[in-house]
Amino acid sequence: TPPSDIWASEAGNNFLKLKWYKGTDDKIVAGYNLFMSGEKINTTLIADTSFMVSGLEESTEYLFEIQTQDGQGNTSENMMKILKTNTS
């Protein structure tokens, strides 16, 4: 199953530090894939439950999606949330 929530534990003018609850799988969870506005932004599986996204525009909303992946390459559905950067 996908992580049950994703949120910004830190937010700046041009970055968001994202955190999420662990997803589950009938096998072992190998890691997570993170998407921003429909585009995958991690090049390798994310092993932890946090990820720093930088280079964002100030005071802008972004759609993030997180999915769980097992060791066989099977993925969960995506959990989606819109998060916003700060204004200076």
Side-chain angles (χ1 to χ4, degrees), residues 2-6 64-67 76-81:
S4 59
D5 196 9
I6 184 171
F64 288 99
E65 302 173 67
I66 187 79
Q67 71 179 194
S76 69
E77 294 179 7
N78 292 2
M79 202 300 276
M80 300 180 229
K81 191 172 241 182

Side-chain angles (χ1 to χ4, degrees), residues 60-76:
T60 302
E61 291 183 340
Y62 292 91
L63 173 64
F64 288 99
E65 302 173 67
I66 187 79
Q67 71 179 194
T68 303
Q69 183 174 317
D70 67 18
Q72 311 242 327
N74 301 310
T75 57
S76 69

Side-chain angles (χ1 to χ4, degrees), residues 2-36:
S4 59
D5 196 9
I6 184 171
W7 67 95
S9 64
E10 294 177 42
N13 297 345
N14 62 355
F15 76 90
L16 292 168
K17 182 173 184 183
L18 305 178
K19 292 191 68 93
W20 54 87
Y21 294 116
K22 291 182 179 181
T24 59
D25 190 78
D26 59 346
K27 304 194 182 357
I28 295 173
V29 171
Y32 303 93
N33 292 307
L34 183 63
F35 300 82
M36 183 176 76

Side-chain angles (χ1 to χ4, degrees), residues 43-88:
T43 54
T44 60
L45 277 179
I46 303 167
D48 202 359
T49 56
S50 66
F51 192 84
M52 179 70 76
V53 182
S54 59
L56 304 176
E57 296 292 323
E58 179 181 328
S59 190
T60 302
E61 291 183 340
Y62 292 91
L63 173 64
F64 288 99
E65 302 173 67
I66 187 79
Q67 71 179 194
T68 303
Q69 183 174 317
D70 67 18
Q72 311 242 327
N74 301 310
T75 57
S76 69
E77 294 179 7
N78 292 2
M79 202 300 276
M80 300 180 229
K81 191 172 241 182
I82 295 174
L83 300 170
K84 188 175 181 178
T85 52
N86 288 345
T87 303
S88 58

